[in-house]
Amino acid sequence: MTTPARPLPAPTPETREYWDGLKRHELRLQRCRACSRAYFYPRPFCPYPGCHSQDVEWFTASGRGNLASYVIVHRGHPAFGTPYVLAVVEMTEGGRMMTNLSGIDDPTPEALPVGAEMEIDFEDVNDALTLPSWRLVKG
Amino acid sequence: MFDSRELSHKVAIVGAAETDTVGVLPNHSVLQLHAESAFNALRDAGLTLDDVDGLATAGVSPAALTEYLGIMPRWLDGTAVGGGSFLMHVGHAVAAIAAGYADVVLVTHGESGRSRVGAAGPGRTDSTPGGQFDAPFGTFGPPTMFSVPIAAHMARYGTTEEHLAAVSVATRQWATMNPRAMMRDPITIDDVLASRLIAWPLRLLNCCLVTDGGGALVLVSEARARDFPKPPVWVLGRGEAVQHTNISQMWDFTEWTAASRITGPEAFRMADLDHSAIDHLMLYDAFSHTPIYAMEALGFVKEGDGGPWFAEMRSAPGGVLPVNTNGGGLSYTHTGMYGMFAIQEAVRQLRGEAAAQVDGVQTSLVHAPGGMFSATATLILGNQ
Ligand SMILES: [Zn+2]
């Protein structure tokens, strides 16, 4: 038996710009022109309750955010070395994304305070795909 | 406008049973578990499959189960949003029976969660939102996803690993009294904290079992509810909601928003009861933190007080409000979609036939998630 490979995304029409942006090491997000909030993941309308405008635009985001929550995985996907961090980052402009953390070899709860400032990294997986990862901003 | 309060106490559970055994059942297919549950619940009500004209199930399609059972229901419900689906089925059945869409509704659950006999495999998911935006980072089953919000709850409210452990300890105390429970040896906080890490802050003893089994319910209208061998268990209130699918998109990691805004208030309003009227709770415990979030969302404690409440052993035998008296998903059984077993234990308590029977239970509130905090369903059941 071979080890199962890391699951990789298959972009869809409404997410293509995001994935193409990552290849250029740019974080392309969408924001709503009606309520001016950014959101994630990509879709052609604003998903926030009370708005739901279809008037949205792509922009290049700052790649800054805060650690919203996380787990330190000890029994996880066989393609990943344990322990690894499954984290959710709340992006400064709006929207939350799941990610892994870079720059952390031995993750501990003490080293990962919820709310910590984060910045994006780009992990080139292959010629066709770059995934985001995020790192703690060194204070 | 119709008012849900008019449907309170109008439909009753008159048959309820689980599979002959629960746990490790390598000689039962998924459909066989559904069928065994159905036969047992119908026998409990003194009915047969030929009496059933409404069918609700999750995990398999109502069509697949209809063929297997050899029935032709005139009302069906295949709502499948995870473990709490069966609570939703009960709520839907109340409306269907009141509308005359069906007279005898059968709700079934069967799952070969451990042995995987006759279970369908996963399909392609890499182009779904979860496949694109969560899976590439190593999500690996519920322990790595349902757990993601906990760190935020700990940071905001001071919830601790000891609080999480207390939920497992209190639940195990109930399991020691239930001969059908898979895990019956008492455990301590230290035992939980010494068990191996799965996905911090969750350790092995913070995680539910993985088992095989099933359960079924039979519901009929008030007009005939008293004509069955067992006393009726009335559906007094219900609520259901869904807020997301992927855990990264949960609205607020520190609260179960859909439960606090919708399913708790709707169930209490329909039942015309307040919290002080609830004698017994079944709070689906996929993991130690799930009941903590549910206690807070349903308003039994203030936001952030769930952990300390369990740490004071208030849910344990002899405590002020018994919770998960069958031993829960943590120690009794957990097939994957445990909600059916939570309802079954509430029915047993209300009939006075539970293994760890609590004195004088007249009302029981059952709450369950679906998916990773995605769905929420609440039932209030009573025997008066
Ligand atoms: Zn908007």
Side-chain angles (χ1 to χ4, degrees):
Chain A
M1 283 252 309
T2 52
T3 305
R6 179 182 191 173
L8 297 179
T12 44
E14 78 272 47
T15 69
R16 176 70 64 185
E17 172 68 15
Y18 166 74
W19 292 112
D20 286 349
L22 289 180
K23 271 193 283 188
R24 303 189 303 268
H25 289 199
E26 289 175 20
L27 176 59
R28 297 284 287 166
L29 298 182
Q30 285 164 301
R31 74 180 149 222
C32 173
R33 285 200 186 91
C35 72
S36 56
R37 288 174 290 182
Y39 57 89
F40 190 81
Y41 44 86
R43 69 206 92 163
F45 55 90
C46 169
Y48 293 114
C51 182
H52 288 125
S53 169
Q54 291 176 284
D55 185 10
V56 300
E57 64 185 353
W58 288 95
F59 73 105
T60 301
S62 65
R64 304 288 291 224
N66 296 87
L67 183 60
S69 203
Y70 66 93
V71 287
I72 303 172
V73 180
H74 290 261
R75 186 177 176 280
H77 194 286
F80 288 71
T82 55
Y84 63 94
V85 180
L86 257 180
V88 176
V89 172
E90 178 105 40
M91 289 172 281
T92 301
E93 294 90 345
R96 270 194 256 125
M97 72 159 71
M98 182 79 85
T99 190
N100 298 131
L101 299 190
S102 48
I104 295 257
D105 293 331
D106 184 22
T108 62
E110 293 71 30
L112 296 170
V114 166
E117 284 187 51
M118 311 290 293
E119 62 189 354
I120 198 167
D121 254 350
F122 299 93
E123 180 187 353
D124 296 320
V125 177
N126 56 43
D127 288 347
L129 177 71
T130 296
L131 287 169
S133 68
W134 290 72
R135 64 167 66 237
L136 291 168
V137 174
K138 297 283 183 269
Chain B
M1 293 280 280
F2 296 103
D3 188 326
S4 66
R5 286 177 293 191
E6 292 167 15
L7 294 186
S8 182
H9 211 285
K10 287 290 190 285
V11 168
I13 297 167
V14 296
E18 299 176 0
T19 42
D20 297 346
T21 54
V22 291
V24 184
L25 305 172
N27 296 316
H28 283 66
S29 73
V30 170
L31 285 167
Q32 212 179 331
L33 293 165
H34 280 266
E36 185 173 302
S37 306
F39 277 100
N40 288 350
L42 288 163
R43 191 174 297 116
D44 185 61
L47 296 172
T48 73
L49 277 170
D50 291 318
D51 297 307
V52 173
D53 64 352
L55 178 68
T57 195
V60 301
S61 80
L65 188 58
T66 296
E67 174 185 295
Y68 191 77
L69 294 175
I71 60 176
M72 191 185 291
R74 64 190 178 99
W75 174 85
L76 60 90
D77 180 13
T79 302
V81 290
S85 301
F86 313 100
L87 284 73
M88 297 186 184
H89 296 160
V90 168
H92 302 172
V94 168
I97 290 168
Y101 294 170
D103 294 326
V104 177
V105 169
L106 174 69
V107 183
T108 70
H109 164 63
E111 195 165 4
S112 185
R114 189 182 188 98
S115 303
R116 310 298 301 163
V117 182
R124 185 184 160 186
T125 57
D126 59 351
S127 62
T128 65
Q132 290 189 61
F133 303 110
D134 282 16
F137 306 103
T139 54
F140 192 64
T144 67
M145 296 188 282
F146 217 138
S147 49
V148 164
I150 308 173
H153 197 278
M154 295 170 97
R156 178 165 177 186
Y157 293 122
T159 303
T160 65
E161 293 178 59
E162 286 75 11
H163 294 158
L164 296 171
V167 175
S168 303
V169 169
T171 309
R172 182 63 63 87
Q173 288 184 22
W174 288 110
T176 64
M177 292 184 259
N178 185 354
R180 277 169 66 91
M182 179 174 268
M183 307 302 272
R184 294 191 297 274
D185 295 332
I187 53 173
T188 65
I189 301 282
D190 287 342
D191 290 335
V192 180
L193 296 179
S195 63
R196 66 186 168 89
L197 276 164
I198 302 296
W200 180 89
L202 292 183
R203 296 168 183 277
L204 183 65
L205 292 179
N206 297 123
C207 299
C208 67
L209 305 169
V210 181
T211 65
D212 308 321
L217 301 163
V218 180
L219 295 103
V220 303
S221 81
E222 180 189 32
R224 49 191 300 213
R226 294 175 185 83
D227 304 335
F228 292 87
K230 300 282 180 68
V233 169
W234 301 101
V235 182
L236 303 180
R238 51 61 72 195
E240 70 183 44
V242 186
Q243 60 176 39
H244 62 266
T245 295
N246 299 296
I247 194 64
S248 59
Q249 304 305 312
M250 185 173 180
W251 286 27
D252 179 343
F253 284 143
T254 65
E255 67 162 41
W256 204 335
T257 310
S260 62
R261 287 195 196 163
I262 299 177
T263 74
E266 284 210 10
F268 278 109
R269 180 180 177 279
M270 176 170 166
D272 197 23
L273 293 173
D274 62 28
H275 293 73
S276 65
I278 303 299
D279 300 322
H280 171 256
L281 291 177
M282 291 303 294
L283 303 177
Y284 190 122
D285 51 341
F287 300 97
S288 293
H289 64 296
T290 331
I292 292 174
Y293 275 76
M295 283 294 288
E296 296 175 4
L298 296 170
F300 284 97
V301 297
K302 288 209 313 283
E303 297 89 343
D305 286 354
W309 189 87
F310 279 100
E312 289 162 6
M313 290 293 134
R314 291 166 185 252
S315 70
V320 292
L321 187 51
V323 180
N324 296 345
T325 49
N326 58 351
L330 290 168
S331 292
Y332 174 59
T333 206
H334 194 296
T335 51
M337 293 188 290
Y338 164 82
M340 174 58 78
F341 298 98
I343 304 171
Q344 295 286 337
E345 173 65 8
V347 170
R348 288 192 293 265
Q349 289 286 347
L350 289 162
R351 288 173 166 184
E353 57 186 35
Q357 182 64 45
V358 176
D359 288 340
V361 177
Q362 295 187 352
T363 55
S364 177
L365 182 146
V366 187
H367 180 268
M372 310 297 116
F373 278 118
S374 314
T376 143
T378 305
L379 285 180
I380 298 176
L381 305 174
N383 59 13
Q384 296 299 299

